[in-house]
Amino acid sequence: MFFSTLEINRKGKYLYKQIYKQVKEGILAGCLQSNEKLPSKRKLASKLDISVNSVTNAYEQLLAEGYIYAVERKGYYVENITEFIVKEDRNKNSIPDDLKEETHAKEGWLSFSHMTSDISLFPFKEWMKHQEKAIKNHKVELTEIPHAQGPYVVRETIAHLIKLSRGIHCEPEQIVIGSGTQSLIRNLMSLQRTGTVIALENPGYPRFYTMLKKTGLNVRPIQLDEDGIDIAKIEESEAQFVLVTPSHQFPTGKIMPISRRIELLNWSVKSDHRYIIEDDYDSEFKYETDNIPSLQSLDRNKRVIYTGTFSKTLLPSFRISYMVLPPEMLRTYRNHWSDLIQESNTLGLYTLHYFINSGDYSRYVKRMNHHYEMKRKLLIKHLRAQFGANLYIEDIPAGLHFIASFRTTRSYEEIAGRAKQEKLEIYSMERFMLRNKETMKNRIDLVIGFAHIKEEKIPEAVERLRRIMS
Amino acid sequence: MFFSTLEINRKGKYLYKQIYKQVKEGILAGCLQSNEKLPSKRKLASKLDISVNSVTNAYEQLLAEGYIYAVERKGYYVENITEFIVKEDRNKNSIPDDLKEETHAKEGWLSFSHMTSDISLFPFKEWMKHQEKAIKNHKVELTEIPHAQGPYVVRETIAHLIKLSRGIHCEPEQIVIGSGTQSLIRNLMSLQRTGTVIALENPGYPRFYTMLKKTGLNVRPIQLDEDGIDIAKIEESEAQFVLVTPSHQFPTGKIMPISRRIELLNWSVKSDHRYIIEDDYDSEFKYETDNIPSLQSLDRNKRVIYTGTFSKTLLPSFRISYMVLPPEMLRTYRNHWSDLIQESNTLGLYTLHYFINSGDYSRYVKRMNHHYEMKRKLLIKHLRAQFGANLYIEDIPAGLHFIASFRTTRSYEEIAGRAKQEKLEIYSMERFMLRNKETMKNRIDLVIGFAHIKEEKIPEAVERLRRIMS
């Protein structure tokens, strides 16, 4: 009965698919009964005047998906198929409006974002050359799931690099590569008991703040004093961990002096299982003097967990960061997370490996250090010329951003609105106050990043800023 | 006093660094007292017979690091620096032996790993061409932290691809890109309350099992019957989530028939907030018949969370996977994880975007489907020729692995030891039994992956397997 209604469009492609589809729909619609016998392939083929092969293919597909079953030497029968329950019709909508995204590009915008790096001098040619080498030499590794901590040779290269550049003492075993510092710290801290206290710098990095809270930790923002995080307040908080940015505090830009560093290191040994997480996110860029040695290089008690990233020296879109775990912490980490798959692209990691070992990396960082120093100076010059006495810049020559305080009667909210109108991406200090969002009267503090903006666009961006503040 | 002991090596590089280092060490060793005045730059320069510039540089570095402070018109003074507490000497060791890694390559090994893909035909030339396009067209995006869910245009491309290839209904908004299915499911499930019940297939994927347990979920492995996961047992477990691999069950390789699919979909609507996670990890490879439609394509109630990966169709080292969230789940996900940074390399994602849109991706998958089909046939032929009646293969023509059962008196443990001797990487079924690790007498089940092994190495690998089993 049903089979006499089958229709074949001879001009259409794939005759077997036409049969497959109609029989499938017939079964789902209940036009064919459970255990009903299908016509033999030969019979159906001759009836529809098509090849037996087409019917065979259709029956095989129906069989593979479980619409029919075969009984040896007897033929094919319709399976006993449960009826669908449909609660809502999925076709009647796409997605609710509140979930839709704006997709138009930010045409004409300029940016003082602190989250970017400068791509204009990136040596893509060299990068590609090293990538080709990586493909040629690591075919086997490319077909496999990477080592949980990242390929050993890449960790060797990073260990060597940070020994030279940051004075880090470590073996490749202690390095865990990951797609970002946030993700690495998340993995590390999710080993800790719910409610473990971690102290953060305030103002600080809100992405860490929310992530750590969501990981179940008791997160305690500690107000900074002149020299950085307040040790007495850390003691008071009963923190077991403290996360700091000693080379260039985020966002204030301050450098933690040696005395505070020693106090912090001493705090870590005054009780068992205390650890300092040093986020050395942009320490490669230091102007006028040499780089500031890392906190880890001063630690003689294995209490510093060091994290570094290639997001600033290369590109944030590459997603390559790493952390260096003290041995005890490494053991715990491996016991817990041996099954966690490495997030970073192996090809990118081997490319980085050759990029560093060829010396191209150091040359590029040196070049960018100079480039950023010039750009920073130029921007500060333009800002001072434009705002004069209405501007104060805490001029700490390091990193890829600085804090600028503007005298203005406008509120943070007004400034945000006007920045949107002027198409200028800015981030105000308010955003980084993890607690105590008190703001000064007649004053707006901005975190000004200078990595993204092109030199020739600086005057225009500063002019927009003037219009926003005035 | 102290300053008369300074020694300058005139042949050495960077005179300022020599001064900086000695003064720094003098301060840390207590040879210089707090608030002690340093000699003026001029005085020290003339005394050491070096340029004032060198002393200035040394003093500036000491100042930047907080070893000394400056008083205007008076000069430089030693800071008041806390003494170090040292509990253990970090220099006396490297790392404990149990944390050291074996780093020698697996020379001479052959592999039946199920976790790899075949790189021999990978179109690197085309991939690089698309990568150049990505660099050229997405300079701004490359300097930024990527969108939490991945770039919109890449999600558009994936949405279009999986609509055609897997019948997935979704908007780009619903796609979340990540570095792996494990990581995506972890992020998704960490939104759920501790103790939420999730049912898994048993045998199944141990990496999911341990990860989900560590995320705080109540993980319930459910024994498979002939057609896949047992719906009555899911009901019994009071699961809110169930994770399945309907296209090609991992590891048994079975295809879930339409009837069980409908039963599972019906289960999901019998109570509120029930969800099915469909892990469609290697559905692109189907031999003899067409691909099996996805479970999500049958879902009319928005209860299926679909996950797919490019680890099998491209390379696992690329770390590109994605999930498709039903709108309600997407809303929860965004509310919770808006701050979580995308893990995948943006350059890789844009390269993939052009690779797919050019048609190169589909051509490659088609080519690999043929290649894998041939390799699979060849391997099964060799296995059957070698083992005869002592081998049973459940021959489901799909995916990149199959189950082979060998008649042997050896235990799983013995087999593992002998495989090591023979340098053959194999994975036994035991590994994937999440619960009830009962094994059959006189029988060894192996999960045989055929992506990694080269065709010409198949006879040798099968010969090694014979020696292992005999």
Side-chain angles (χ1 to χ4, degrees):
Chain A
M1 191 52 200
F2 170 82
F3 283 89
S4 62
T5 67
L6 291 191
E7 278 176 22
I8 297 294
N9 170 9
R10 278 165 203 290
K11 283 176 192 159
K13 271 207 273 188
Y14 302 122
L15 297 185
Y16 81 91
K17 277 199 181 168
Q18 298 183 30
I19 301 169
Y20 154 77
K21 199 162 169 272
Q22 289 176 68
V23 176
K24 180 175 105 171
E25 284 165 1
I27 293 173
L28 289 175
C31 307
L32 287 164
Q33 300 300 312
S34 297
N35 304 314
E36 188 174 330
K37 193 173 187 299
L38 274 68
S40 77
K41 297 182 210 166
R42 239 164 247 286
K43 217 164 154 182
L44 188 57
S46 110
K47 186 166 182 175
L48 296 173
D49 194 19
I50 58 177
S51 76
V52 175
N53 224 7
S54 292
V55 180
T56 301
N57 285 342
Y59 279 17
E60 286 298 320
Q61 188 70 30
L62 290 164
L63 200 61
E65 295 182 23
Y67 285 94
I68 61 174
Y69 62 93
V71 177
E72 224 172 320
R73 278 188 299 270
K74 282 201 162 171
Y76 295 92
Y77 296 84
V78 175
E79 267 285 9
N80 181 11
I81 288 168
T82 322
E83 224 174 292
F84 260 118
I85 303 173
V86 179
K87 281 218 169 165
E88 42 181 324
D89 184 5
R90 70 168 298 149
N91 297 316
K92 77 172 175 229
N93 75 322
S94 56
I95 55 165
D97 283 344
D98 68 312
L99 296 175
K100 282 190 182 140
E101 293 173 42
E102 281 181 41
T103 56
H104 53 267
K106 287 190 140 192
E107 201 98 12
W109 279 68
L110 294 175
S111 171
F112 283 134
S113 166
H114 56 282
M115 294 179 282
T116 60
S117 67
D118 188 328
I119 200 172
S120 61
L121 303 175
F122 192 88
F124 276 111
K125 214 179 112 196
E126 282 73 23
W127 183 261
M128 303 290 236
K129 194 185 70 195
H130 296 301
Q131 185 177 268
E132 271 176 40
K133 212 168 174 180
I135 292 168
K136 194 165 152 267
N137 295 347
H138 300 282
K139 285 238 157 58
V140 171
E141 293 90 337
L142 288 175
T143 65
E144 291 173 348
I145 292 175
H147 184 289
Q149 295 179 222
Y152 193 84
V153 295
V154 182
R155 284 183 278 143
E156 261 180 331
T157 296
I158 292 176
H160 186 68
L161 172 75
I162 60 182
K163 190 182 172 174
L164 293 179
S165 66
R166 309 295 302 130
I168 303 296
H169 308 272
C170 77
E171 300 293 322
E173 275 82 353
Q174 291 172 258
I175 294 183
V176 181
I177 298 173
S179 69
T181 310
Q182 186 197 41
S183 155
L184 287 165
I185 293 180
R186 178 183 170 212
N187 291 343
L188 183 71
M189 296 314 290
S190 63
L191 302 181
Q192 307 306 322
R193 271 195 309 275
T194 303
T196 297
V197 181
I198 182 166
L200 297 192
E201 296 168 324
N202 186 27
Y205 194 40
R207 277 190 206 263
F208 283 160
Y209 180 69
T210 50
M211 178 274 289
L212 290 166
K213 277 179 78 163
K214 280 169 183 168
T215 309
L217 276 80
N218 182 351
V219 192
R220 307 289 293 270
I222 306 274
Q223 209 59 37
L224 301 178
D225 65 21
E226 262 310 295
D227 288 345
I229 196 159
D230 187 324
I231 309 294
K233 283 190 183 142
I234 299 176
E235 280 287 4
E236 236 171 74
S237 74
E238 302 194 332
Q240 187 192 331
F241 289 85
V242 54
L243 173 54
V244 288
T245 48
S247 295
H248 189 231
Q249 202 276 331
F250 187 83
T252 65
K254 285 190 180 155
I255 296 164
M256 191 186 285
I258 182 68
S259 199
R260 182 60 54 91
R261 284 170 191 246
I262 296 174
E263 288 168 40
L264 188 57
L265 290 168
N266 288 351
W267 163 85
S268 72
V269 291
K270 279 184 186 155
S271 175
D272 283 346
H273 309 300
R274 282 185 175 176
Y275 286 97
I276 301 162
I277 304 173
E278 174 181 23
D279 181 11
D280 210 28
Y281 68 102
D282 73 355
S283 62
E284 292 85 353
F285 300 111
K286 180 77 191 78
Y287 320 113
E288 298 172 25
T289 72
D290 287 345
N291 293 43
I292 308 297
S294 68
L295 190 64
Q296 203 264 12
S297 70
L298 298 167
D299 173 29
R300 299 179 203 170
N301 300 299
K302 300 180 188 129
R303 297 300 181 97
V304 174
I305 294 156
Y306 177 85
T307 73
T309 180
F310 293 96
S311 287
K312 303 289 179 181
T313 52
L314 300 179
L315 294 169
S317 55
F318 281 5
R319 310 306 311 133
I320 308 179
S321 297
Y322 53 92
M323 61 182 172
V324 180
L325 298 180
E328 282 309 313
M329 193 56 99
L330 175 64
R331 188 175 288 111
T332 315
Y333 186 86
R334 282 197 186 159
N335 285 341
H336 192 89
W337 279 137
S338 58
D339 259 359
L340 203 67
I341 296 171
Q342 171 60 232
E343 299 158 346
S344 265
N345 174 331
T346 314
L347 181 54
L349 293 179
Y350 281 113
T351 305
L352 176 66
H353 163 73
Y354 292 114
F355 191 71
I356 293 172
N357 287 331
S358 67
D360 283 341
Y361 176 77
S362 297
R363 275 188 290 277
Y364 177 59
V365 171
K366 204 169 163 184
R367 194 172 172 201
M368 289 312 289
N369 198 75
H370 183 69
H371 178 71
Y372 283 135
E373 182 172 11
M374 294 299 114
K375 200 151 79 166
R376 187 177 179 280
K377 270 190 188 152
L378 187 70
L379 174 57
I380 289 179
K381 199 184 98 186
H382 275 275
L383 283 169
R384 289 199 165 130
Q386 186 69 264
F387 290 94
N390 291 323
L391 168 72
Y392 172 75
I393 291 173
E394 180 130 36
D395 193 5
I396 301 153
L400 300 180
H401 73 269
F402 55 82
I403 304 280
S405 306
F406 299 85
R407 193 184 299 165
T408 172
T409 53
R410 301 209 175 271
S411 68
Y412 275 107
E413 211 180 350
E414 278 179 292
I415 296 293
R418 293 168 72 92
K420 211 168 172 182
Q421 276 176 352
E422 290 287 347
K423 297 190 174 187
L424 184 67
E425 188 180 359
I426 51 171
Y427 293 91
S428 77
M429 195 63 178
E430 212 193 4
R431 181 191 177 94
F432 305 102
M433 293 177 182
L434 308 181
R435 214 175 260 182
N436 310 330
K437 294 214 179 209
E438 61 207 16
T439 51
M440 307 277 277
K441 226 189 148 189
N442 295 335
R443 184 174 134 179
I444 292 287
D445 291 349
L446 297 185
V447 175
I448 305 231
F450 49 86
H452 191 274
I453 189 126
K454 289 195 174 101
E455 279 171 83
E456 64 271 25
K457 296 286 186 188
I458 286 177
E460 168 65 16
V462 171
E463 172 57 27
R464 288 188 197 180
L465 198 55
R466 189 194 60 74
R467 288 200 297 263
I468 292 165
M469 293 290 174
S470 66
Chain B
M1 189 53 197
F2 170 83
F3 283 89
S4 62
T5 67
L6 290 192
E7 279 176 21
I8 296 295
N9 170 9
R10 279 169 202 291
K11 284 177 190 156
K13 271 206 276 189
Y14 302 124
L15 298 184
Y16 81 92
K17 274 198 183 173
Q18 298 181 31
I19 301 168
Y20 154 76
K21 200 163 169 272
Q22 289 175 68
V23 175
K24 180 175 105 170
E25 284 166 2
I27 293 173
L28 290 175
C31 308
L32 287 164
Q33 301 298 312
S34 296
N35 304 317
E36 189 174 329
K37 192 171 188 300
L38 274 67
S40 76
K41 295 181 209 168
R42 242 164 244 287
K43 214 163 156 184
L44 188 59
S46 111
K47 186 166 183 176
L48 296 173
D49 194 19
I50 58 176
S51 75
V52 175
N53 222 8
S54 291
V55 180
T56 302
N57 286 342
Y59 280 15
E60 286 298 321
Q61 187 71 29
L62 291 164
L63 199 63
E65 295 182 24
Y67 286 94
I68 61 174
Y69 62 93
V71 177
E72 225 171 323
R73 278 186 298 271
K74 283 201 160 168
Y76 296 91
Y77 297 83
V78 175
E79 266 286 6
N80 181 11
I81 288 167
T82 323
E83 224 174 292
F84 259 116
I85 302 173
V86 179
K87 282 219 167 163
E88 43 181 323
D89 185 5
R90 70 170 300 151
N91 297 316
K92 79 173 175 228
N93 76 323
S94 57
I95 55 165
D97 283 344
D98 68 310
L99 295 176
K100 283 190 181 138
E101 291 172 43
E102 281 181 39
T103 55
H104 54 266
K106 288 192 139 190
E107 201 95 15
W109 279 68
L110 294 175
S111 172
F112 283 135
S113 166
H114 56 282
M115 294 178 282
T116 61
S117 66
D118 189 329
I119 200 172
S120 60
L121 304 175
F122 192 88
F124 277 110
K125 213 179 111 195
E126 281 74 23
W127 184 261
M128 303 289 236
K129 194 185 70 196
H130 295 302
Q131 187 178 266
E132 273 176 41
K133 211 167 172 180
I135 292 168
K136 194 167 152 266
N137 295 347
H138 301 282
K139 286 239 157 56
V140 172
E141 293 90 337
L142 288 175
T143 67
E144 293 173 347
I145 292 175
H147 184 289
Q149 294 179 221
Y152 193 85
V153 295
V154 181
R155 285 183 278 141
E156 260 180 332
T157 296
I158 292 176
H160 185 69
L161 172 75
I162 60 182
K163 188 180 174 178
L164 293 179
S165 65
R166 309 294 302 128
I168 303 296
H169 308 272
C170 77
E171 299 292 323
E173 275 81 353
Q174 291 171 260
I175 295 184
V176 181
I177 297 174
S179 69
T181 310
Q182 186 197 39
S183 156
L184 288 165
I185 293 180
R186 178 182 168 214
N187 291 343
L188 183 71
M189 295 315 291
S190 62
L191 302 182
Q192 306 307 322
R193 271 195 309 274
T194 302
T196 297
V197 181
I198 182 166
L200 299 191
E201 296 168 323
N202 186 27
Y205 194 40
R207 277 191 207 262
F208 283 160
Y209 179 69
T210 51
M211 177 274 288
L212 289 166
K213 276 178 79 161
K214 281 167 182 165
T215 309
L217 275 81
N218 183 351
V219 191
R220 307 291 291 272
I222 305 275
Q223 210 59 38
L224 301 178
D225 65 21
E226 264 310 295
D227 288 345
I229 197 159
D230 187 324
I231 309 294
K233 283 187 183 144
I234 299 175
E235 280 286 4
E236 238 171 72
S237 75
E238 301 194 334
Q240 187 191 332
F241 289 85
V242 54
L243 172 54
V244 288
T245 48
S247 295
H248 189 231
Q249 202 275 332
F250 188 82
T252 65
K254 284 187 181 156
I255 297 163
M256 191 185 285
I258 183 67
S259 197
R260 182 60 55 90
R261 286 171 189 244
I262 296 174
E263 286 168 42
L264 188 57
L265 290 168
N266 287 351
W267 164 85
S268 73
V269 291
K270 279 184 185 154
S271 176
D272 282 346
H273 309 301
R274 281 184 177 177
Y275 285 98
I276 302 162
I277 303 173
E278 174 181 25
D279 181 11
D280 210 29
Y281 67 104
D282 73 354
S283 62
E284 292 85 354
F285 301 112
K286 180 78 190 78
Y287 320 112
E288 296 171 25
T289 72
D290 287 345
N291 293 42
I292 307 298
S294 69
L295 190 64
Q296 204 264 13
S297 70
L298 297 168
D299 173 28
R300 299 180 204 170
N301 301 297
K302 302 180 188 129
R303 298 301 181 96
V304 174
I305 294 156
Y306 177 86
T307 75
T309 180
F310 293 96
S311 287
K312 302 290 179 181
T313 51
L314 301 177
L315 295 168
S317 56
F318 281 5
R319 311 303 314 133
I320 309 178
S321 297
Y322 54 91
M323 61 181 172
V324 180
L325 299 180
E328 281 309 313
M329 192 56 100
L330 175 64
R331 188 175 288 111
T332 315
Y333 185 87
R334 282 196 185 158
N335 285 342
H336 192 88
W337 280 135
S338 59
D339 258 358
L340 202 67
I341 296 172
Q342 171 60 233
E343 300 159 344
S344 265
N345 174 328
T346 313
L347 180 55
L349 293 181
Y350 281 113
T351 306
L352 176 66
H353 163 74
Y354 291 115
F355 192 71
I356 293 172
N357 286 332
S358 67
D360 282 341
Y361 176 77
S362 299
R363 274 189 290 277
Y364 178 59
V365 171
K366 203 169 164 185
R367 194 171 171 202
M368 289 311 289
N369 198 75
H370 183 68
H371 178 73
Y372 284 135
E373 182 172 14
M374 293 299 115
K375 200 150 79 163
R376 187 178 180 279
K377 269 191 188 152
L378 188 69
L379 174 57
I380 290 179
K381 198 183 98 187
H382 276 274
L383 284 169
R384 287 196 165 133
Q386 186 67 266
F387 290 93
N390 291 322
L391 168 72
Y392 172 75
I393 291 173
E394 180 130 32
D395 193 4
I396 301 153
L400 300 180
H401 72 269
F402 54 83
I403 304 281
S405 307
F406 298 85
R407 193 184 298 164
T408 173
T409 54
R410 303 208 174 273
S411 69
Y412 275 107
E413 212 180 349
E414 279 178 291
I415 295 293
R418 293 167 72 91
K420 210 168 173 184
Q421 277 176 351
E422 291 286 347
K423 297 191 172 182
L424 184 67
E425 188 180 359
I426 53 172
Y427 294 90
S428 76
M429 194 63 180
E430 212 193 1
R431 181 192 178 93
F432 306 101
M433 293 176 182
L434 308 181
R435 214 174 261 182
N436 310 329
K437 294 217 180 209
E438 61 207 15
T439 51
M440 305 279 277
K441 226 187 147 188
N442 295 333
R443 184 175 135 178
I444 293 285
D445 290 349
L446 297 184
V447 175
I448 305 232
F450 49 86
H452 191 275
I453 188 127
K454 289 195 173 103
E455 278 172 80
E456 64 270 26
K457 297 285 185 188
I458 287 177
E460 168 64 17
V462 171
E463 173 56 28
R464 288 188 196 180
L465 198 54
R466 190 195 57 75
R467 288 201 297 264
I468 292 165
M469 293 289 174
S470 66

